[in-house]
Amino acid sequence: MHCTVVGAGVLGLSSALALAERGHDVEVLDKAQPGAGASGKAAGVVSTMTWHDDEFALVQETRGRLGELISLAMIEGSPAARSVWKPYDSITVGAGPSLRALDEMHDRLERLGEEPERFDFREAAAQFPGVRFAPGEEVLVAQEDGAVEPNDLVQLLLGRLENEGVSVRSGVEVRARPDAEAVVVAGGAWTPGLLSAWGHPVAAKAFRTQLASLAWPESAGAATEAPMVHDLTRGFYARPESEGSMLAGDGTQLRSFDPDAYDEAADPDFVASIAERVVQRFDAGAEARLRRGWAGLCVGTPDRRALCGAVPDADGLWVLSGDNGFGVMRCLALGERLADAVDGSPDAALDPARFRGVGDDWPLREGFGWDA
Ligand SMILES: Cc1cc2nc3c(=O)[nH]c(=O)nc-3n(C[C@H](O)[C@H](O)[C@H](O)COP(=O)(O)OP(=O)(O)OC[C@H]3O[C@@H](n4cnc5c(N)ncnc54)[C@H](O)[C@@H]3O)c2cc1C
């Protein structure tokens, strides 16, 4: 089948790869460059500390597929293969009301075959020097988490697509519906507008989220020795970026944004509040300095799960979006699910038909479910 994929972010590229591997004739079109949307702005955290069993499975499958991609790219001598993935200790910190979320994640990890560790604040302080824990806090440690460098992931995917004979064209803005047997819209934050313009609105809204890169003081040792931290107490996450810097994010604004008219710079308020939280959580935080801050758009859905499958009442039109802020860590599995749907086996839990008739009157919620 001839398939046109609109959008060369991680979701579009992953679905193009899955379709091509199944023998479809695939092309990818992007109005900018591959990775120019949310994908190139992501923190790249990959964590199985999710809010739902099926989400856990999508992350785990993506991690497995990523390992295969890295092996193939190593054989081909791709430089991105060496830098795309870094494993990190990964801790989720909770206290008081957020302990319930921590308990749920803990149960899920054990039930689904991982071996998480759980510490009280004293044990955690001994295990993770440089990280500050307050009395009453508890810590869940995942064993298999890490981070991808999103631009390296885009390069790996482009390399695989080239091998599969898929053409990826940059600078091609799709306005009218392309003439292909299957059109897959994976346009990130532009997806809801594009599908509405074609007469097929879907239950998805773009929301804004922010990230800061902080220069880590040399006196604290390499930032890469710090764990990734999901801080349920203070509502932010941080992950080492390189020897000398740390990414810290949150600043999520749960209202709709226009992808063609939003501020891509971080808000001063966000920078000030993330700095405060980093100081409270890390010994080195007080000496950390802002390198840069930025914002990007993610796509939320009413149930915080992806939109992956046929667009209702539109022959030959498919959608892969609704990342709810965590599309990198699930991209390769979602690409497979999209290709399953095109081949006639949709995943009912992700099928856009579940929102038929839902309209626009639903609230955006934090994607990771830390509030669950
Ligand atoms: C600050 C920030 C931090 C994040 N951190 C993480 C994280 O730690 N872990 C994680 O898993 N996820 C994270 N995310 C989320 C992640 O970035 C997204 O889930 C993911 O990138 C979505 O990929 P996508 O392919 O759907 O969209 P995009 O990457 O936005 O790609 C969409 C593409 O479609 C193209 N396009 C749109 N309209 C058209 C058109 N009409 N014609 C042609 N091309 C078009 C765009 O140019 C763009 O390249 C983060 C996001 C942000 C903003």
Side-chain angles (χ1 to χ4, degrees), residues 154-188:
V154 167
Q155 291 311 313
L156 285 197
L157 285 164
L158 290 173
R160 292 305 315 147
L161 288 168
E162 193 180 342
N163 285 352
E164 292 288 339
V166 174
S167 106
V168 180
R169 289 161 61 201
S170 300
V172 183
E173 176 160 7
V174 174
R175 293 204 172 92
R177 181 175 160 176
D179 185 19
E181 275 174 282
V183 174
V184 178
V185 177

mmCIF file of all heavy atoms in Angstrom, residues 154-188:
data_model
loop_
_atom_site.group_PDB
_atom_site.id
_atom_site.type_symbol
_atom_site.label_atom_id
_atom_site.label_comp_id
_atom_site.label_asym_id
_atom_site.label_seq_id
_atom_site.Cartn_x
_atom_site.Cartn_y
_atom_site.Cartn_z
ATOM 1 N N VAL A 154 16.295 10.629 16.277
ATOM 2 C CA VAL A 154 15.816 11.011 14.937
ATOM 3 C C VAL A 154 16.820 10.538 13.881
ATOM 4 O O VAL A 154 16.446 9.965 12.847
ATOM 5 C CB VAL A 154 15.594 12.548 14.871
ATOM 6 C CG1 VAL A 154 15.408 13.022 13.427
ATOM 7 C CG2 VAL A 154 14.390 12.946 15.729
ATOM 8 N N GLN A 155 18.117 10.708 14.148
ATOM 9 C CA GLN A 155 19.138 10.273 13.182
ATOM 10 C C GLN A 155 19.100 8.755 12.981
ATOM 11 O O GLN A 155 19.200 8.269 11.854
ATOM 12 C CB GLN A 155 20.553 10.700 13.633
ATOM 13 C CG GLN A 155 20.794 12.200 13.565
ATOM 14 C CD GLN A 155 20.368 12.804 12.230
ATOM 15 O OE1 GLN A 155 20.689 12.278 11.157
ATOM 16 N NE2 GLN A 155 19.615 13.903 12.283
ATOM 17 N N LEU A 156 18.941 8.019 14.079
ATOM 18 C CA LEU A 156 18.863 6.542 13.951
ATOM 19 C C LEU A 156 17.676 6.139 13.087
ATOM 20 O O LEU A 156 17.775 5.268 12.226
ATOM 21 C CB LEU A 156 18.704 5.882 15.316
ATOM 22 C CG LEU A 156 19.888 5.786 16.255
ATOM 23 C CD1 LEU A 156 19.606 4.739 17.339
ATOM 24 C CD2 LEU A 156 21.159 5.407 15.529
ATOM 25 N N LEU A 157 16.531 6.799 13.355
ATOM 26 C CA LEU A 157 15.330 6.448 12.592
ATOM 27 C C LEU A 157 15.515 6.804 11.118
ATOM 28 O O LEU A 157 15.144 6.024 10.229
ATOM 29 C CB LEU A 157 14.118 7.174 13.180
ATOM 30 C CG LEU A 157 13.610 6.582 14.505
ATOM 31 C CD1 LEU A 157 12.689 7.553 15.226
ATOM 32 C CD2 LEU A 157 12.880 5.265 14.249
ATOM 33 N N LEU A 158 16.121 7.968 10.855
ATOM 34 C CA LEU A 158 16.339 8.353 9.447
ATOM 35 C C LEU A 158 17.257 7.347 8.755
ATOM 36 O O LEU A 158 17.041 6.991 7.587
ATOM 37 C CB LEU A 158 16.942 9.766 9.374
ATOM 38 C CG LEU A 158 15.997 10.908 9.764
ATOM 39 C CD1 LEU A 158 16.755 12.243 9.820
ATOM 40 C CD2 LEU A 158 14.811 11.018 8.790
ATOM 41 N N GLY A 159 18.258 6.866 9.483
ATOM 42 C CA GLY A 159 19.171 5.866 8.911
ATOM 43 C C GLY A 159 18.428 4.586 8.544
ATOM 44 O O GLY A 159 18.604 4.038 7.442
ATOM 45 N N ARG A 160 17.566 4.126 9.452
ATOM 46 C CA ARG A 160 16.799 2.899 9.166
ATOM 47 C C ARG A 160 15.862 3.127 7.976
ATOM 48 O O ARG A 160 15.687 2.256 7.128
ATOM 49 C CB ARG A 160 15.943 2.476 10.367
ATOM 50 C CG ARG A 160 16.645 1.986 11.591
ATOM 51 C CD ARG A 160 17.592 0.836 11.391
ATOM 52 N NE ARG A 160 17.090 -0.247 10.556
ATOM 53 C CZ ARG A 160 17.851 -0.998 9.755
ATOM 54 N NH1 ARG A 160 19.148 -0.796 9.668
ATOM 55 N NH2 ARG A 160 17.330 -1.958 9.052
ATOM 56 N N LEU A 161 15.230 4.309 7.955
ATOM 57 C CA LEU A 161 14.271 4.586 6.873
ATOM 58 C C LEU A 161 14.981 4.620 5.521
ATOM 59 O O LEU A 161 14.459 4.124 4.520
ATOM 60 C CB LEU A 161 13.550 5.911 7.144
ATOM 61 C CG LEU A 161 12.534 5.838 8.304
ATOM 62 C CD1 LEU A 161 12.071 7.225 8.711
ATOM 63 C CD2 LEU A 161 11.326 4.978 7.911
ATOM 64 N N GLU A 162 16.178 5.169 5.511
ATOM 65 C CA GLU A 162 16.937 5.193 4.253
ATOM 66 C C GLU A 162 17.196 3.762 3.778
ATOM 67 O O GLU A 162 17.008 3.435 2.609
ATOM 68 C CB GLU A 162 18.262 5.936 4.477
ATOM 69 C CG GLU A 162 18.952 6.277 3.173
ATOM 70 C CD GLU A 162 20.263 7.009 3.403
ATOM 71 O OE1 GLU A 162 20.481 7.557 4.511
ATOM 72 O OE2 GLU A 162 21.071 7.013 2.458
ATOM 73 N N ASN A 163 17.589 2.909 4.737
ATOM 74 C CA ASN A 163 17.822 1.499 4.374
ATOM 75 C C ASN A 163 16.572 0.818 3.848
ATOM 76 O O ASN A 163 16.649 -0.111 3.044
ATOM 77 C CB ASN A 163 18.315 0.710 5.596
ATOM 78 C CG ASN A 163 19.745 1.029 5.913
ATOM 79 O OD1 ASN A 163 20.410 1.721 5.141
ATOM 80 N ND2 ASN A 163 20.231 0.561 7.043
ATOM 81 N N GLU A 164 15.429 1.264 4.345
ATOM 82 C CA GLU A 164 14.157 0.658 3.909
ATOM 83 C C GLU A 164 13.639 1.302 2.624
ATOM 84 O O GLU A 164 12.551 0.981 2.153
ATOM 85 C CB GLU A 164 13.084 0.811 4.999
ATOM 86 C CG GLU A 164 13.353 0.003 6.251
ATOM 87 C CD GLU A 164 13.143 -1.503 6.059
ATOM 88 O OE1 GLU A 164 12.422 -1.894 5.121
ATOM 89 O OE2 GLU A 164 13.736 -2.272 6.842
ATOM 90 N N GLY A 165 14.381 2.280 2.103
ATOM 91 C CA GLY A 165 13.972 2.927 0.848
ATOM 92 C C GLY A 165 12.858 3.953 1.015
ATOM 93 O O GLY A 165 12.155 4.287 0.053
ATOM 94 N N VAL A 166 12.685 4.461 2.238
ATOM 95 C CA VAL A 166 11.624 5.452 2.486
ATOM 96 C C VAL A 166 12.172 6.845 2.193
ATOM 97 O O VAL A 166 13.250 7.206 2.671
ATOM 98 C CB VAL A 166 11.161 5.384 3.963
ATOM 99 C CG1 VAL A 166 10.172 6.503 4.285
ATOM 100 C CG2 VAL A 166 10.554 4.013 4.256
ATOM 101 N N SER A 167 11.419 7.631 1.421
ATOM 102 C CA SER A 167 11.884 9.001 1.198
ATOM 103 C C SER A 167 11.323 9.902 2.290
ATOM 104 O O SER A 167 10.144 9.842 2.624
ATOM 105 C CB SER A 167 11.501 9.468 -0.212
ATOM 106 O OG SER A 167 10.448 10.383 -0.168
ATOM 107 N N VAL A 168 12.208 10.727 2.875
ATOM 108 C CA VAL A 168 11.804 11.679 3.915
ATOM 109 C C VAL A 168 12.114 13.067 3.360
ATOM 110 O O VAL A 168 13.275 13.408 3.156
ATOM 111 C CB VAL A 168 12.584 11.446 5.228
ATOM 112 C CG1 VAL A 168 12.157 12.450 6.292
ATOM 113 C CG2 VAL A 168 12.379 10.014 5.729
ATOM 114 N N ARG A 169 11.047 13.814 3.068
ATOM 115 C CA ARG A 169 11.253 15.125 2.430
ATOM 116 C C ARG A 169 10.986 16.248 3.426
ATOM 117 O O ARG A 169 9.930 16.289 4.055
ATOM 118 C CB ARG A 169 10.348 15.255 1.208
ATOM 119 C CG ARG A 169 10.826 14.336 0.072
ATOM 120 C CD ARG A 169 9.744 14.098 -0.940
ATOM 121 N NE ARG A 169 9.312 15.326 -1.578
ATOM 122 C CZ ARG A 169 8.139 15.476 -2.182
ATOM 123 N NH1 ARG A 169 7.278 14.462 -2.204
ATOM 124 N NH2 ARG A 169 7.827 16.610 -2.743
ATOM 125 N N SER A 170 11.959 17.144 3.549
ATOM 126 C CA SER A 170 11.821 18.303 4.436
ATOM 127 C C SER A 170 11.303 19.492 3.650
ATOM 128 O O SER A 170 11.427 19.544 2.417
ATOM 129 C CB SER A 170 13.189 18.687 5.005
ATOM 130 O OG SER A 170 13.715 17.622 5.725
ATOM 131 N N GLY A 171 10.744 20.458 4.358
ATOM 132 C CA GLY A 171 10.306 21.700 3.712
ATOM 133 C C GLY A 171 9.076 21.521 2.838
ATOM 134 O O GLY A 171 8.842 22.319 1.930
ATOM 135 N N VAL A 172 8.286 20.470 3.092
ATOM 136 C CA VAL A 172 7.069 20.249 2.310
ATOM 137 C C VAL A 172 5.868 20.365 3.245
ATOM 138 O O VAL A 172 5.591 19.447 4.027
ATOM 139 C CB VAL A 172 7.055 18.842 1.655
ATOM 140 C CG1 VAL A 172 5.811 18.671 0.784
ATOM 141 C CG2 VAL A 172 8.324 18.611 0.848
ATOM 142 N N GLU A 173 5.182 21.482 3.191
ATOM 143 C CA GLU A 173 4.008 21.646 4.059
ATOM 144 C C GLU A 173 2.787 21.019 3.397
ATOM 145 O O GLU A 173 2.443 21.341 2.258
ATOM 146 C CB GLU A 173 3.739 23.132 4.341
ATOM 147 C CG GLU A 173 2.474 23.278 5.159
ATOM 148 C CD GLU A 173 2.360 24.593 5.890
ATOM 149 O OE1 GLU A 173 3.200 25.483 5.671
ATOM 150 O OE2 GLU A 173 1.403 24.719 6.679
ATOM 151 N N VAL A 174 2.145 20.123 4.124
ATOM 152 C CA VAL A 174 0.940 19.483 3.604
ATOM 153 C C VAL A 174 -0.252 20.345 3.994
ATOM 154 O O VAL A 174 -0.474 20.612 5.183
ATOM 155 C CB VAL A 174 0.788 18.066 4.201
ATOM 156 C CG1 VAL A 174 -0.530 17.440 3.775
ATOM 157 C CG2 VAL A 174 1.966 17.193 3.781
ATOM 158 N N ARG A 175 -1.007 20.782 3.010
ATOM 159 C CA ARG A 175 -2.222 21.565 3.318
ATOM 160 C C ARG A 175 -3.463 20.742 2.975
ATOM 161 O O ARG A 175 -4.247 20.428 3.847
ATOM 162 C CB ARG A 175 -2.207 22.881 2.534
ATOM 163 C CG ARG A 175 -1.090 23.816 3.001
ATOM 164 C CD ARG A 175 -1.418 25.273 2.689
ATOM 165 N NE ARG A 175 -0.441 26.153 3.292
ATOM 166 C CZ ARG A 175 0.646 26.589 2.692
ATOM 167 N NH1 ARG A 175 0.910 26.239 1.449
ATOM 168 N NH2 ARG A 175 1.504 27.384 3.327
ATOM 169 N N ALA A 176 -3.594 20.358 1.692
ATOM 170 C CA ALA A 176 -4.727 19.494 1.313
ATOM 171 C C ALA A 176 -4.356 18.047 1.638
ATOM 172 O O ALA A 176 -3.175 17.704 1.725
ATOM 173 C CB ALA A 176 -4.994 19.640 -0.173
ATOM 174 N N ARG A 177 -5.378 17.221 1.787
ATOM 175 C CA ARG A 177 -5.110 15.808 2.092
ATOM 176 C C ARG A 177 -4.356 15.144 0.932
ATOM 177 O O ARG A 177 -4.803 15.209 -0.218
ATOM 178 C CB ARG A 177 -6.450 15.105 2.332
ATOM 179 C CG ARG A 177 -6.281 13.655 2.670
ATOM 180 C CD ARG A 177 -7.607 13.022 3.012
ATOM 181 N NE ARG A 177 -7.480 11.587 2.873
ATOM 182 C CZ ARG A 177 -8.420 10.714 3.162
ATOM 183 N NH1 ARG A 177 -9.594 11.138 3.587
ATOM 184 N NH2 ARG A 177 -8.212 9.431 3.005
ATOM 185 N N PRO A 178 -3.211 14.535 1.205
ATOM 186 C CA PRO A 178 -2.437 13.925 0.120
ATOM 187 C C PRO A 178 -3.203 12.781 -0.546
ATOM 188 O O PRO A 178 -4.049 12.140 0.080
ATOM 189 C CB PRO A 178 -1.185 13.394 0.834
ATOM 190 C CG PRO A 178 -1.114 14.139 2.115
ATOM 191 C CD PRO A 178 -2.527 14.436 2.501
ATOM 192 N N ASP A 179 -2.824 12.543 -1.787
ATOM 193 C CA ASP A 179 -3.479 11.513 -2.574
ATOM 194 C C ASP A 179 -2.689 10.208 -2.397
ATOM 195 O O ASP A 179 -1.774 9.924 -3.153
ATOM 196 C CB ASP A 179 -3.471 11.974 -4.050
ATOM 197 C CG ASP A 179 -4.238 11.009 -4.921
ATOM 198 O OD1 ASP A 179 -5.037 10.233 -4.373
ATOM 199 O OD2 ASP A 179 -4.003 11.032 -6.144
ATOM 200 N N ALA A 180 -2.986 9.475 -1.350
ATOM 201 C CA ALA A 180 -2.298 8.193 -1.108
ATOM 202 C C ALA A 180 -3.338 7.236 -0.553
ATOM 203 O O ALA A 180 -4.328 7.664 0.037
ATOM 204 C CB ALA A 180 -1.158 8.374 -0.107
ATOM 205 N N GLU A 181 -3.094 5.925 -0.717
ATOM 206 C CA GLU A 181 -4.066 4.951 -0.182
ATOM 207 C C GLU A 181 -4.227 5.096 1.323
ATOM 208 O O GLU A 181 -5.314 4.958 1.865
ATOM 209 C CB GLU A 181 -3.564 3.534 -0.474
ATOM 210 C CG GLU A 181 -3.929 3.002 -1.831
ATOM 211 C CD GLU A 181 -3.250 1.656 -2.042
ATOM 212 O OE1 GLU A 181 -2.030 1.649 -2.340
ATOM 213 O OE2 GLU A 181 -3.929 0.625 -1.902
ATOM 214 N N ALA A 182 -3.110 5.357 1.996
ATOM 215 C CA ALA A 182 -3.166 5.577 3.448
ATOM 216 C C ALA A 182 -2.401 6.853 3.772
ATOM 217 O O ALA A 182 -1.244 6.998 3.369
ATOM 218 C CB ALA A 182 -2.548 4.398 4.183
ATOM 219 N N VAL A 183 -3.052 7.765 4.451
ATOM 220 C CA VAL A 183 -2.390 8.986 4.908
ATOM 221 C C VAL A 183 -2.347 8.927 6.434
ATOM 222 O O VAL A 183 -3.386 8.768 7.083
ATOM 223 C CB VAL A 183 -3.154 10.248 4.446
ATOM 224 C CG1 VAL A 183 -2.530 11.509 5.050
ATOM 225 C CG2 VAL A 183 -3.172 10.333 2.925
ATOM 226 N N VAL A 184 -1.140 9.018 6.973
ATOM 227 C CA VAL A 184 -0.969 8.977 8.435
ATOM 228 C C VAL A 184 -0.604 10.385 8.896
ATOM 229 O O VAL A 184 0.436 10.920 8.494
ATOM 230 C CB VAL A 184 0.157 7.995 8.835
ATOM 231 C CG1 VAL A 184 0.352 8.010 10.358
ATOM 232 C CG2 VAL A 184 -0.123 6.593 8.326
ATOM 233 N N VAL A 185 -1.443 10.984 9.715
ATOM 234 C CA VAL A 185 -1.128 12.315 10.227
ATOM 235 C C VAL A 185 -0.438 12.155 11.581
ATOM 236 O O VAL A 185 -1.021 11.664 12.543
ATOM 237 C CB VAL A 185 -2.394 13.191 10.350
ATOM 238 C CG1 VAL A 185 -2.048 14.550 10.944
ATOM 239 C CG2 VAL A 185 -3.038 13.367 8.974
ATOM 240 N N ALA A 186 0.824 12.550 11.599
ATOM 241 C CA ALA A 186 1.620 12.517 12.838
ATOM 242 C C ALA A 186 2.284 13.887 12.949
ATOM 243 O O ALA A 186 3.503 14.005 13.044
ATOM 244 C CB ALA A 186 2.647 11.392 12.775
ATOM 245 N N GLY A 187 1.448 14.894 12.928
ATOM 246 C CA GLY A 187 1.932 16.281 12.847
ATOM 247 C C GLY A 187 2.111 16.944 14.195
ATOM 248 O O GLY A 187 2.121 18.177 14.275
ATOM 249 N N GLY A 188 2.241 16.162 15.266
ATOM 250 C CA GLY A 188 2.454 16.752 16.589
ATOM 251 C C GLY A 188 1.358 17.756 16.904
ATOM 252 O O GLY A 188 0.164 17.491 16.692
#
